[in-house]
Amino acid sequence: MSVKKKPLVVVTRKLPDSIETRMRELFDARINLDDTPMSAEQIAEAARTADVLVPTVTDHISADVVNQPDCKLRLIANFGNGVDNIDVEAAHARGITVTNTPKVLTEDTADMTMALILAVPRRMIEGASILTEGKPWPGWSPTWMLGHRIGGKRLGIIGMGRIGQAVARRARAFGLQIHYHNRRPVAPKIAEELGATYWESLDQMLARMDIISVNCPHTPATYHLLSARRLKLIRKDAYIVNTARGEVTDEDTLIKLIEGGEIGGAGLDVYEHEPAVNPKLVRLAKAGKVTLLPHMGSATIEGRVEMGEKVIINIRTFLDAHKPPDRVLPSML
């Protein structure tokens, strides 16, 4: 009796051991054991040979990749919530299904956002460096290393989806006043629960906030949403926190405004040209003007395992000829 051939699944990056083990059991899985990012040609080759590709945010799946004459892909099961690394429209036109891993990273990302909201005004990283980098510490003083309290301040959330709402719940517990800009207002029940004020005009909201949190996805419509013009609307003593995507902000202008004292500071977990980080941002961090993290907002063991489990469910559902639960369509973006 012949044994049914397992579908070939190419995984572009190292995943949690339990997820890789399960993938090997279910599929003919090619695992990236040393976690070296795949080159553009390796991605293209995978598209020509695999039934399923499991990319991450670091992999660019362009129209050229899916439109290769000998592209064999039937499913792109993205290991991540955002799909800005994939040309979803081109894949859809080619008959390739795209899925993502929503909902599992909401709380982790909101936790890190709240951590930055606390860290930047209170100068936590700058203060910690005094002890860890051998700098002189004269001891406690009434006027040394003063920051700003956050209770009573206005928080402007850009993007009031699942993560934005989770940030709002945390921030409200710290006494922040919740404001938000979104494509449309949230349901009245949610707005009442969060005590949230809706701003149809992003410009007007930016000019009045003490802290601004970027929580919207990166799409063509949100590229440089915080443009040079809009960044100049922000108050001189305000702070920006971004745990979403670096491309949402005009990073060069943000740097210039912080250098010139036109914006109070920033807490950044994402960057416009990742993995490259602008050296000027690093200098600002050393000067205590910004807090920088290496894109670790969703980096929990539990979150990564849950992402992997969603990827497996999407693949198995698709291969069983059913619609995957986390299918992404161009109309959704």
Side-chain angles (χ1 to χ4, degrees):
M1 184 176 70
S2 62
V3 178
K4 185 178 179 180
K5 184 180 179 182
K6 292 181 178 180
L8 175 59
V9 176
V10 173
V11 184
T12 65
R13 299 298 296 269
K14 180 81 177 72
L15 302 184
D17 288 345
S18 61
I19 299 301
E20 291 184 340
T21 299
R22 187 60 178 147
M23 283 188 169
R24 286 184 180 275
E25 292 170 350
L26 295 169
F27 319 119
D28 177 11
R30 292 184 185 173
I31 305 298
N32 187 343
L33 294 176
D34 65 2
D35 201 34
T36 301
M38 294 175 67
S39 67
E41 177 50 40
Q42 288 173 320
I43 293 286
E45 172 62 23
R48 294 192 294 268
T49 58
D51 301 291
V52 180
L53 181 66
V54 181
T56 71
V57 65
T58 63
D59 305 303
H60 184 50
I61 315 301
S62 65
D64 289 340
V65 171
V66 300
N67 286 329
Q68 297 176 96
D70 50 353
C71 178
K72 188 182 175 184
L73 286 180
R74 294 188 286 149
L75 171 66
I76 301 172
N78 198 47
F79 185 87
N81 184 29
V83 291
D84 49 312
N85 57 311
I86 302 168
D87 192 324
V88 177
E89 188 170 351
H92 183 71
R94 185 67 186 259
I96 301 170
T97 299
V98 177
T99 62
N100 65 344
T101 60
K103 301 180 182 179
V104 298
L105 302 179
T106 299
E107 303 304 323
D108 296 332
T109 305
D111 284 345
M112 190 62 81
T113 304
M114 195 65 220
L116 285 171
I117 289 172
L118 290 166
V120 177
R122 293 302 305 272
R123 303 171 67 180
M124 287 185 187
I125 303 302
E126 184 184 0
S129 70
I130 300 295
L131 303 179
T132 59
E133 296 180 11
K135 301 174 183 178
W137 178 43
W140 183 87
S141 167
T143 57
W144 187 67
M145 286 294 293
L146 299 182
H148 292 277
R149 72 168 54 140
I150 66 167
K153 299 296 193 298
R154 295 186 180 93
L155 172 66
I157 297 173
I158 302 174
M160 201 62 152
R162 287 186 295 268
I163 294 175
Q165 291 175 32
V167 170
R169 292 187 180 93
R170 286 158 174 76
R172 195 178 187 201
F174 280 87
L176 284 151
Q177 300 176 35
I178 308 302
H179 297 252
Y180 73 99
H181 170 78
N182 206 41
R183 285 184 294 181
R184 60 186 66 88
V186 298
K189 182 179 179 180
I190 295 173
E192 182 179 358
E193 173 201 345
L194 300 175
T197 300
Y198 174 65
W199 292 81
E200 183 176 0
S201 168
L202 177 58
D203 289 8
Q204 291 183 18
M205 186 184 81
L206 291 174
R208 292 164 172 82
M209 297 297 109
D210 301 298
I211 303 168
I212 295 154
S213 179
V214 180
N215 298 108
C216 62
H218 172 224
T219 68
T222 63
Y223 175 77
H224 279 195
L225 182 67
L226 289 182
S227 60
R229 180 188 65 80
R230 284 192 169 128
L231 287 170
K232 291 173 184 177
L233 299 173
I234 296 172
R235 295 166 45 183
K236 290 185 177 182
D237 57 352
Y239 301 94
I240 295 176
V241 169
N242 189 355
T243 57
R245 286 290 188 268
E247 293 90 342
V248 177
T249 302
D250 182 338
E251 195 171 90
D252 287 338
T253 299
L254 176 63
I255 290 169
K256 290 176 183 176
L257 292 173
I258 295 174
E259 287 176 332
E262 297 301 309
I263 290 179
L268 306 176
D269 186 45
V270 290
Y271 308 92
E272 189 169 352
H273 305 290
E274 286 187 35
V277 178
N278 193 312
K280 293 181 180 179
L281 277 176
V282 177
R283 288 198 291 272
L284 285 171
K286 291 180 178 178
K289 297 292 186 181
V290 301
T291 296
L292 306 180
L293 296 176
H295 201 149
M296 54 189 290
S298 63
T300 68
I301 295 170
E302 297 86 350
R304 294 290 188 253
V305 169
E306 288 180 16
M307 289 170 70
E309 290 170 347
K310 270 190 170 287
V311 168
I312 291 172
I313 290 171
N314 282 319
I315 296 173
R316 293 194 69 181
T317 306
F318 176 82
L319 294 176
D320 287 341
H322 299 294
K323 292 181 179 179
D326 303 310
R327 187 172 57 154
V328 179
L329 300 174
S331 59
M332 300 165 61
L333 303 178

